[in-house]
PDB file of all heavy atoms in Angstrom:
ATOM      1  N   VAL A  81      -4.844 128.666 -35.133  1.00 97.00           N
ATOM      2  CA  VAL A  81      -5.719 129.131 -36.208  1.00 97.00           C
ATOM      3  C   VAL A  81      -5.540 128.198 -37.396  1.00 97.00           C
ATOM      4  O   VAL A  81      -4.458 128.121 -37.981  1.00 97.00           O
ATOM      5  CB  VAL A  81      -5.374 130.577 -36.618  1.00 97.00           C
ATOM      6  CG1 VAL A  81      -6.349 131.072 -37.684  1.00 97.00           C
ATOM      7  CG2 VAL A  81      -5.375 131.489 -35.404  1.00 97.00           C
ATOM      8  N   SER A  82      -6.606 127.483 -37.761  1.00 93.00           N
ATOM      9  CA  SER A  82      -6.515 126.527 -38.872  1.00 93.00           C
ATOM     10  C   SER A  82      -7.859 126.488 -39.592  1.00 93.00           C
ATOM     11  O   SER A  82      -8.711 125.660 -39.289  1.00 93.00           O
ATOM     12  CB  SER A  82      -6.146 125.131 -38.363  1.00 93.00           C
ATOM     13  OG  SER A  82      -7.072 124.704 -37.375  1.00 93.00           O
ATOM     14  N   GLU A  83      -8.027 127.397 -40.516  1.00 94.00           N
ATOM     15  CA  GLU A  83      -9.271 127.493 -41.261  1.00 94.00           C
ATOM     16  C   GLU A  83      -8.992 127.340 -42.754  1.00 94.00           C
ATOM     17  O   GLU A  83      -7.870 127.541 -43.217  1.00 94.00           O
ATOM     18  CB  GLU A  83      -9.951 128.841 -40.986  1.00 94.00           C
ATOM     19  CG  GLU A  83     -10.210 129.121 -39.515  1.00 94.00           C
ATOM     20  CD  GLU A  83     -11.166 128.139 -38.864  1.00 94.00           C
ATOM     21  OE1 GLU A  83     -12.046 127.616 -39.577  1.00 94.00           O
ATOM     22  OE2 GLU A  83     -11.021 127.887 -37.654  1.00 94.00           O
ATOM     23  N   THR A  84     -10.031 127.003 -43.499  1.00 93.00           N
ATOM     24  CA  THR A  84      -9.877 126.847 -44.946  1.00 93.00           C
ATOM     25  C   THR A  84      -9.933 128.178 -45.672  1.00 93.00           C
ATOM     26  O   THR A  84      -9.514 128.284 -46.821  1.00 93.00           O
ATOM     27  CB  THR A  84     -10.970 125.928 -45.506  1.00 93.00           C
ATOM     28  OG1 THR A  84     -12.256 126.478 -45.165  1.00 93.00           O
ATOM     29  CG2 THR A  84     -10.849 124.524 -44.931  1.00 93.00           C
ATOM     30  N   ARG A  85     -10.458 129.193 -44.990  1.00 95.00           N
ATOM     31  CA  ARG A  85     -10.674 130.491 -45.616  1.00 95.00           C
ATOM     32  C   ARG A  85     -10.122 131.593 -44.720  1.00 95.00           C
ATOM     33  O   ARG A  85     -10.348 131.589 -43.501  1.00 95.00           O
ATOM     34  CB  ARG A  85     -12.182 130.696 -45.843  1.00 95.00           C
ATOM     35  CG  ARG A  85     -12.550 131.970 -46.563  1.00 95.00           C
ATOM     36  CD  ARG A  85     -14.061 132.091 -46.675  1.00 95.00           C
ATOM     37  NE  ARG A  85     -14.445 133.373 -47.265  1.00 95.00           N
ATOM     38  CZ  ARG A  85     -15.672 133.887 -47.208  1.00 95.00           C
ATOM     39  NH1 ARG A  85     -16.626 133.220 -46.572  1.00 95.00           N
ATOM     40  NH2 ARG A  85     -15.930 135.050 -47.757  1.00 95.00           N
ATOM     41  N   THR A  86      -9.407 132.544 -45.298  1.00 96.00           N
ATOM     42  CA  THR A  86      -8.804 133.614 -44.517  1.00 96.00           C
ATOM     43  C   THR A  86      -9.856 134.405 -43.748  1.00 96.00           C
ATOM     44  O   THR A  86      -9.638 134.765 -42.585  1.00 96.00           O
ATOM     45  CB  THR A  86      -8.012 134.551 -45.446  1.00 96.00           C
ATOM     46  OG1 THR A  86      -7.023 133.791 -46.155  1.00 96.00           O
ATOM     47  CG2 THR A  86      -7.319 135.647 -44.654  1.00 96.00           C
ATOM     48  N   THR A  87     -10.992 134.658 -44.347  1.00 96.00           N
ATOM     49  CA  THR A  87     -12.057 135.411 -43.668  1.00 96.00           C
ATOM     50  C   THR A  87     -12.512 134.696 -42.405  1.00 96.00           C
ATOM     51  O   THR A  87     -12.751 135.336 -41.372  1.00 96.00           O
ATOM     52  CB  THR A  87     -13.250 135.631 -44.620  1.00 96.00           C
ATOM     53  OG1 THR A  87     -12.807 136.381 -45.752  1.00 96.00           O
ATOM     54  CG2 THR A  87     -14.374 136.391 -43.915  1.00 96.00           C
ATOM     55  N   ASN A  88     -12.633 133.379 -42.469  1.00 96.00           N
ATOM     56  CA  ASN A  88     -13.037 132.613 -41.286  1.00 96.00           C
ATOM     57  C   ASN A  88     -11.957 132.672 -40.207  1.00 96.00           C
ATOM     58  O   ASN A  88     -12.259 132.740 -39.014  1.00 96.00           O
ATOM     59  CB  ASN A  88     -13.322 131.163 -41.661  1.00 96.00           C
ATOM     60  CG  ASN A  88     -14.537 131.019 -42.555  1.00 96.00           C
ATOM     61  OD1 ASN A  88     -15.346 131.932 -42.666  1.00 96.00           O
ATOM     62  ND2 ASN A  88     -14.664 129.874 -43.208  1.00 96.00           N
ATOM     63  N   ALA A  89     -10.693 132.634 -40.621  1.00 97.00           N
ATOM     64  CA  ALA A  89      -9.589 132.742 -39.668  1.00 97.00           C
ATOM     65  C   ALA A  89      -9.629 134.096 -38.962  1.00 97.00           C
ATOM     66  O   ALA A  89      -9.425 134.182 -37.746  1.00 97.00           O
ATOM     67  CB  ALA A  89      -8.258 132.549 -40.378  1.00 97.00           C
ATOM     68  N   MET A 105      -1.205 130.743 -32.713  1.00 98.00           N
ATOM     69  CA  MET A 105      -0.331 130.001 -33.605  1.00 98.00           C
ATOM     70  C   MET A 105      -1.109 129.836 -34.903  1.00 98.00           C
ATOM     71  O   MET A 105      -2.245 129.339 -34.892  1.00 98.00           O
ATOM     72  CB  MET A 105       0.037 128.632 -33.027  1.00 98.00           C
ATOM     73  CG  MET A 105       0.991 127.855 -33.930  1.00 98.00           C
ATOM     74  SD  MET A 105       1.582 126.310 -33.181  1.00 98.00           S
ATOM     75  CE  MET A 105       0.143 125.247 -33.406  1.00 98.00           C
ATOM     76  N   VAL A 106      -0.520 130.257 -36.005  1.00 98.00           N
ATOM     77  CA  VAL A 106      -1.247 130.291 -37.274  1.00 98.00           C
ATOM     78  C   VAL A 106      -0.672 129.265 -38.241  1.00 98.00           C
ATOM     79  O   VAL A 106       0.507 129.315 -38.616  1.00 98.00           O
ATOM     80  CB  VAL A 106      -1.202 131.696 -37.909  1.00 98.00           C
ATOM     81  CG1 VAL A 106      -1.987 131.707 -39.214  1.00 98.00           C
ATOM     82  CG2 VAL A 106      -1.764 132.734 -36.941  1.00 98.00           C
ATOM     83  N   MET A 107      -1.527 128.322 -38.633  1.00 94.00           N
ATOM     84  CA  MET A 107      -1.189 127.343 -39.657  1.00 94.00           C
ATOM     85  C   MET A 107      -1.496 127.922 -41.036  1.00 94.00           C
ATOM     86  O   MET A 107      -2.228 128.906 -41.151  1.00 94.00           O
ATOM     87  CB  MET A 107      -2.015 126.063 -39.447  1.00 94.00           C
ATOM     88  CG  MET A 107      -1.617 125.253 -38.245  1.00 94.00           C
ATOM     89  SD  MET A 107      -2.828 123.965 -37.829  1.00 94.00           S
ATOM     90  CE  MET A 107      -3.125 123.178 -39.409  1.00 94.00           C
ATOM     91  N   PRO A 108      -0.977 127.304 -42.098  1.00 91.00           N
ATOM     92  CA  PRO A 108      -1.434 127.691 -43.437  1.00 91.00           C
ATOM     93  C   PRO A 108      -2.930 127.385 -43.566  1.00 91.00           C
ATOM     94  O   PRO A 108      -3.483 126.599 -42.795  1.00 91.00           O
ATOM     95  CB  PRO A 108      -0.623 126.785 -44.366  1.00 91.00           C
ATOM     96  CG  PRO A 108       0.508 126.267 -43.549  1.00 91.00           C
ATOM     97  CD  PRO A 108       0.007 126.217 -42.140  1.00 91.00           C
ATOM     98  N   SER A 109      -3.569 128.015 -44.538  1.00 85.00           N
ATOM     99  CA  SER A 109      -4.963 127.668 -44.790  1.00 85.00           C
ATOM    100  C   SER A 109      -5.025 126.189 -45.160  1.00 85.00           C
ATOM    101  O   SER A 109      -4.300 125.724 -46.038  1.00 85.00           O
ATOM    102  CB  SER A 109      -5.536 128.518 -45.926  1.00 85.00           C
ATOM    103  OG  SER A 109      -4.741 128.395 -47.089  1.00 85.00           O
ATOM    104  N   VAL A 110      -5.848 125.431 -44.426  1.00 82.00           N
ATOM    105  CA  VAL A 110      -5.864 123.989 -44.634  1.00 82.00           C
ATOM    106  C   VAL A 110      -6.554 123.639 -45.955  1.00 82.00           C
ATOM    107  O   VAL A 110      -7.341 124.404 -46.483  1.00 82.00           O
ATOM    108  CB  VAL A 110      -6.543 123.270 -43.449  1.00 82.00           C
ATOM    109  CG1 VAL A 110      -5.712 123.423 -42.193  1.00 82.00           C
ATOM    110  CG2 VAL A 110      -7.947 123.814 -43.209  1.00 82.00           C
ATOM    111  N   LEU A 111      -6.232 122.503 -46.480  1.00 87.00           N
ATOM    112  CA  LEU A 111      -6.734 121.923 -47.737  1.00 87.00           C
ATOM    113  C   LEU A 111      -6.013 122.494 -48.958  1.00 87.00           C
ATOM    114  O   LEU A 111      -5.449 121.751 -49.747  1.00 87.00           O
ATOM    115  CB  LEU A 111      -8.249 122.106 -47.895  1.00 87.00           C
ATOM    116  CG  LEU A 111      -9.124 121.452 -46.820  1.00 87.00           C
ATOM    117  CD1 LEU A 111     -10.601 121.641 -47.147  1.00 87.00           C
ATOM    118  CD2 LEU A 111      -8.804 119.969 -46.664  1.00 87.00           C
ATOM    119  N   TYR A 112      -6.007 123.828 -49.124  1.00 91.00           N
ATOM    120  CA  TYR A 112      -5.331 124.422 -50.275  1.00 91.00           C
ATOM    121  C   TYR A 112      -3.881 124.724 -49.926  1.00 91.00           C
ATOM    122  O   TYR A 112      -3.598 125.400 -48.939  1.00 91.00           O
ATOM    123  CB  TYR A 112      -6.042 125.710 -50.708  1.00 91.00           C
ATOM    124  CG  TYR A 112      -5.307 126.452 -51.800  1.00 91.00           C
ATOM    125  CD1 TYR A 112      -5.208 125.915 -53.078  1.00 91.00           C
ATOM    126  CD2 TYR A 112      -4.697 127.674 -51.546  1.00 91.00           C
ATOM    127  CE1 TYR A 112      -4.524 126.574 -54.080  1.00 91.00           C
ATOM    128  CE2 TYR A 112      -4.009 128.355 -52.538  1.00 91.00           C
ATOM    129  CZ  TYR A 112      -3.931 127.795 -53.808  1.00 91.00           C
ATOM    130  OH  TYR A 112      -3.237 128.455 -54.802  1.00 91.00           O
ATOM    131  N   ALA A 113      -2.972 124.229 -50.742  1.00 92.00           N
ATOM    132  CA  ALA A 113      -1.543 124.493 -50.522  1.00 92.00           C
ATOM    133  C   ALA A 113      -1.161 125.787 -51.219  1.00 92.00           C
ATOM    134  O   ALA A 113      -0.917 125.825 -52.433  1.00 92.00           O
ATOM    135  CB  ALA A 113      -0.712 123.335 -51.044  1.00 92.00           C
ATOM    136  N   ALA A 114      -1.119 126.858 -50.444  1.00 95.00           N
ATOM    137  CA  ALA A 114      -0.820 128.174 -51.004  1.00 95.00           C
ATOM    138  C   ALA A 114       0.649 128.280 -51.401  1.00 95.00           C
ATOM    139  O   ALA A 114       1.515 127.608 -50.825  1.00 95.00           O
ATOM    140  CB  ALA A 114      -1.154 129.253 -49.967  1.00 95.00           C
ATOM    141  N   ASP A 115       0.941 129.141 -52.381  1.00 96.00           N
ATOM    142  CA  ASP A 115       2.342 129.447 -52.656  1.00 96.00           C
ATOM    143  C   ASP A 115       2.808 130.494 -51.655  1.00 96.00           C
ATOM    144  O   ASP A 115       2.035 130.980 -50.818  1.00 96.00           O
ATOM    145  CB  ASP A 115       2.541 129.890 -54.109  1.00 96.00           C
ATOM    146  CG  ASP A 115       1.822 131.174 -54.477  1.00 96.00           C
ATOM    147  OD1 ASP A 115       1.529 131.998 -53.570  1.00 96.00           O
ATOM    148  OD2 ASP A 115       1.561 131.390 -55.679  1.00 96.00           O
ATOM    149  N   GLU A 118       0.865 133.850 -51.509  1.00 96.00           N
ATOM    150  CA  GLU A 118      -0.456 133.697 -50.907  1.00 96.00           C
ATOM    151  C   GLU A 118      -0.358 133.440 -49.405  1.00 96.00           C
ATOM    152  O   GLU A 118      -1.134 133.987 -48.613  1.00 96.00           O
ATOM    153  CB  GLU A 118      -1.205 132.534 -51.581  1.00 96.00           C
ATOM    154  CG  GLU A 118      -1.542 132.786 -53.035  1.00 96.00           C
ATOM    155  CD  GLU A 118      -2.026 131.536 -53.752  1.00 96.00           C
ATOM    156  OE1 GLU A 118      -1.483 130.437 -53.472  1.00 96.00           O
ATOM    157  OE2 GLU A 118      -2.934 131.641 -54.581  1.00 96.00           O
ATOM    158  N   ALA A 119       0.599 132.602 -49.023  1.00 96.00           N
ATOM    159  CA  ALA A 119       0.750 132.260 -47.608  1.00 96.00           C
ATOM    160  C   ALA A 119       1.136 133.482 -46.785  1.00 96.00           C
ATOM    161  O   ALA A 119       0.631 133.684 -45.668  1.00 96.00           O
ATOM    162  CB  ALA A 119       1.795 131.153 -47.449  1.00 96.00           C
ATOM    163  N   LYS A 120       2.025 134.308 -47.303  1.00 97.00           N
ATOM    164  CA  LYS A 120       2.443 135.502 -46.566  1.00 97.00           C
ATOM    165  C   LYS A 120       1.305 136.519 -46.477  1.00 97.00           C
ATOM    166  O   LYS A 120       1.122 137.166 -45.434  1.00 97.00           O
ATOM    167  CB  LYS A 120       3.688 136.120 -47.224  1.00 97.00           C
ATOM    168  CG  LYS A 120       4.951 135.312 -46.970  1.00 97.00           C
ATOM    169  CD  LYS A 120       6.194 135.993 -47.492  1.00 97.00           C
ATOM    170  CE  LYS A 120       6.301 135.891 -49.000  1.00 97.00           C
ATOM    171  NZ  LYS A 120       7.621 136.406 -49.491  1.00 97.00           N
ATOM    172  N   ASP A 121       0.523 136.659 -47.527  1.00 97.00           N
ATOM    173  CA  ASP A 121      -0.628 137.556 -47.463  1.00 97.00           C
ATOM    174  C   ASP A 121      -1.654 137.045 -46.451  1.00 97.00           C
ATOM    175  O   ASP A 121      -2.255 137.843 -45.715  1.00 97.00           O
ATOM    176  CB  ASP A 121      -1.279 137.688 -48.842  1.00 97.00           C
ATOM    177  CG  ASP A 121      -2.452 138.653 -48.823  1.00 97.00           C
ATOM    178  OD1 ASP A 121      -2.219 139.867 -48.688  1.00 97.00           O
ATOM    179  OD2 ASP A 121      -3.610 138.184 -48.908  1.00 97.00           O
ATOM    180  N   ASN A 122      -1.841 135.737 -46.407  1.00 97.00           N
ATOM    181  CA  ASN A 122      -2.755 135.134 -45.422  1.00 97.00           C
ATOM    182  C   ASN A 122      -2.310 135.493 -44.000  1.00 97.00           C
ATOM    183  O   ASN A 122      -3.122 135.901 -43.159  1.00 97.00           O
ATOM    184  CB  ASN A 122      -2.769 133.617 -45.613  1.00 97.00           C
ATOM    185  CG  ASN A 122      -3.755 132.903 -44.715  1.00 97.00           C
ATOM    186  OD1 ASN A 122      -4.946 133.187 -44.726  1.00 97.00           O
ATOM    187  ND2 ASN A 122      -3.252 131.962 -43.930  1.00 97.00           N
ATOM    188  N   LEU A 123      -1.005 135.366 -43.741  1.00 97.00           N
ATOM    189  CA  LEU A 123      -0.484 135.683 -42.414  1.00 97.00           C
ATOM    190  C   LEU A 123      -0.653 137.166 -42.079  1.00 97.00           C
ATOM    191  O   LEU A 123      -1.063 137.522 -40.967  1.00 97.00           O
ATOM    192  CB  LEU A 123       1.001 135.310 -42.334  1.00 97.00           C
ATOM    193  CG  LEU A 123       1.317 133.821 -42.236  1.00 97.00           C
ATOM    194  CD1 LEU A 123       2.806 133.590 -42.467  1.00 97.00           C
ATOM    195  CD2 LEU A 123       0.897 133.277 -40.881  1.00 97.00           C
ATOM    196  N   ILE A 126      -4.378 137.893 -41.276  1.00 98.00           N
ATOM    197  CA  ILE A 126      -4.771 137.377 -39.967  1.00 98.00           C
ATOM    198  C   ILE A 126      -4.123 138.197 -38.856  1.00 98.00           C
ATOM    199  O   ILE A 126      -4.757 138.517 -37.844  1.00 98.00           O
ATOM    200  CB  ILE A 126      -4.399 135.889 -39.839  1.00 98.00           C
ATOM    201  CG1 ILE A 126      -5.228 135.061 -40.826  1.00 98.00           C
ATOM    202  CG2 ILE A 126      -4.606 135.384 -38.410  1.00 98.00           C
ATOM    203  CD1 ILE A 126      -4.779 133.618 -40.958  1.00 98.00           C
ATOM    204  N   VAL A 136       4.065 131.612 -36.221  1.00 98.00           N
ATOM    205  CA  VAL A 136       3.780 130.973 -37.502  1.00 98.00           C
ATOM    206  C   VAL A 136       4.149 129.498 -37.415  1.00 98.00           C
ATOM    207  O   VAL A 136       5.261 129.148 -37.013  1.00 98.00           O
ATOM    208  CB  VAL A 136       4.567 131.635 -38.641  1.00 98.00           C
ATOM    209  CG1 VAL A 136       4.305 130.917 -39.963  1.00 98.00           C
ATOM    210  CG2 VAL A 136       4.198 133.110 -38.756  1.00 98.00           C
ATOM    211  N   TYR A 137       3.214 128.645 -37.803  1.00 97.00           N
ATOM    212  CA  TYR A 137       3.460 127.198 -37.809  1.00 97.00           C
ATOM    213  C   TYR A 137       3.912 126.824 -39.216  1.00 97.00           C
ATOM    214  O   TYR A 137       3.115 126.780 -40.151  1.00 97.00           O
ATOM    215  CB  TYR A 137       2.181 126.473 -37.419  1.00 97.00           C
ATOM    216  CG  TYR A 137       2.285 124.966 -37.300  1.00 97.00           C
ATOM    217  CD1 TYR A 137       3.500 124.296 -37.372  1.00 97.00           C
ATOM    218  CD2 TYR A 137       1.142 124.193 -37.098  1.00 97.00           C
ATOM    219  CE1 TYR A 137       3.580 122.929 -37.252  1.00 97.00           C
ATOM    220  CE2 TYR A 137       1.204 122.816 -36.968  1.00 97.00           C
ATOM    221  CZ  TYR A 137       2.421 122.188 -37.052  1.00 97.00           C
ATOM    222  OH  TYR A 137       2.486 120.817 -36.932  1.00 97.00           O
ATOM    223  N   ASN A 139       5.083 124.005 -41.439  1.00 94.00           N
ATOM    224  CA  ASN A 139       5.124 122.540 -41.498  1.00 94.00           C
ATOM    225  C   ASN A 139       4.842 122.070 -42.920  1.00 94.00           C
ATOM    226  O   ASN A 139       3.731 121.626 -43.232  1.00 94.00           O
ATOM    227  CB  ASN A 139       4.112 121.938 -40.525  1.00 94.00           C
ATOM    228  CG  ASN A 139       4.214 120.422 -40.433  1.00 94.00           C
ATOM    229  OD1 ASN A 139       4.829 119.780 -41.283  1.00 94.00           O
ATOM    230  ND2 ASN A 139       3.609 119.843 -39.417  1.00 94.00           N
ATOM    231  N   SER A 142       3.424 118.305 -43.530  1.00 90.00           N
ATOM    232  CA  SER A 142       1.995 118.012 -43.405  1.00 90.00           C
ATOM    233  C   SER A 142       1.110 118.909 -44.251  1.00 90.00           C
ATOM    234  O   SER A 142       0.078 118.466 -44.751  1.00 90.00           O
ATOM    235  CB  SER A 142       1.569 118.142 -41.939  1.00 90.00           C
ATOM    236  OG  SER A 142       2.214 117.174 -41.140  1.00 90.00           O
ATOM    237  N   TYR A 143       1.517 120.189 -44.416  1.00 91.00           N
ATOM    238  CA  TYR A 143       0.599 121.155 -45.020  1.00 91.00           C
ATOM    239  C   TYR A 143       1.064 121.710 -46.360  1.00 91.00           C
ATOM    240  O   TYR A 143       0.414 122.582 -46.929  1.00 91.00           O
ATOM    241  CB  TYR A 143       0.331 122.293 -44.025  1.00 91.00           C
ATOM    242  CG  TYR A 143      -0.255 121.755 -42.739  1.00 91.00           C
ATOM    243  CD1 TYR A 143       0.455 121.799 -41.547  1.00 91.00           C
ATOM    244  CD2 TYR A 143      -1.499 121.135 -42.736  1.00 91.00           C
ATOM    245  CE1 TYR A 143      -0.064 121.266 -40.377  1.00 91.00           C
ATOM    246  CE2 TYR A 143      -2.032 120.601 -41.572  1.00 91.00           C
ATOM    247  CZ  TYR A 143      -1.306 120.666 -40.392  1.00 91.00           C
ATOM    248  OH  TYR A 143      -1.823 120.131 -39.240  1.00 91.00           O
ATOM    249  N   LYS A 144       2.197 121.207 -46.856  1.00 91.00           N
ATOM    250  CA  LYS A 144       2.667 121.476 -48.229  1.00 91.00           C
ATOM    251  C   LYS A 144       2.987 122.940 -48.503  1.00 91.00           C
ATOM    252  O   LYS A 144       3.116 123.338 -49.662  1.00 91.00           O
ATOM    253  CB  LYS A 144       1.631 120.979 -49.258  1.00 91.00           C
ATOM    254  CG  LYS A 144       1.085 119.582 -49.003  1.00 91.00           C
ATOM    255  CD  LYS A 144       2.178 118.534 -48.843  1.00 91.00           C
ATOM    256  CE  LYS A 144       1.597 117.156 -48.514  1.00 91.00           C
ATOM    257  NZ  LYS A 144       2.642 116.173 -48.161  1.00 91.00           N
ATOM    258  N   VAL A 145       3.133 123.728 -47.455  1.00 93.00           N
ATOM    259  CA  VAL A 145       3.512 125.131 -47.599  1.00 93.00           C
ATOM    260  C   VAL A 145       4.788 125.350 -46.804  1.00 93.00           C
ATOM    261  O   VAL A 145       4.817 125.092 -45.602  1.00 93.00           O
ATOM    262  CB  VAL A 145       2.408 126.074 -47.084  1.00 93.00           C
ATOM    263  CG1 VAL A 145       2.842 127.532 -47.232  1.00 93.00           C
ATOM    264  CG2 VAL A 145       1.088 125.819 -47.812  1.00 93.00           C
ATOM    265  N   LEU A 147       7.557 128.188 -45.791  1.00 97.00           N
ATOM    266  CA  LEU A 147       8.085 129.548 -45.769  1.00 97.00           C
ATOM    267  C   LEU A 147       9.555 129.473 -45.383  1.00 97.00           C
ATOM    268  O   LEU A 147       9.911 128.988 -44.312  1.00 97.00           O
ATOM    269  CB  LEU A 147       7.297 130.401 -44.776  1.00 97.00           C
ATOM    270  CG  LEU A 147       5.843 130.679 -45.191  1.00 97.00           C
ATOM    271  CD1 LEU A 147       5.126 131.464 -44.112  1.00 97.00           C
ATOM    272  CD2 LEU A 147       5.780 131.415 -46.523  1.00 97.00           C
TER     273      LEU A 147
END
Side-chain angles (χ1 to χ4, degrees):
V81 183
S82 56
E83 304 297 330
T84 57
R85 183 182 175 196
T86 303
T87 299
N88 293 344
M105 182 174 77
V106 181
M107 289 168 48
S109 55
V110 294
L111 299 183
Y112 174 68
D115 63 24
E118 294 169 322
K120 286 186 285 188
D121 182 71
N122 184 57
L123 286 168
I126 294 170
V136 178
Y137 183 8
N139 186 344
S142 296
Y143 301 113
K144 314 307 177 188
V145 179
L147 292 177

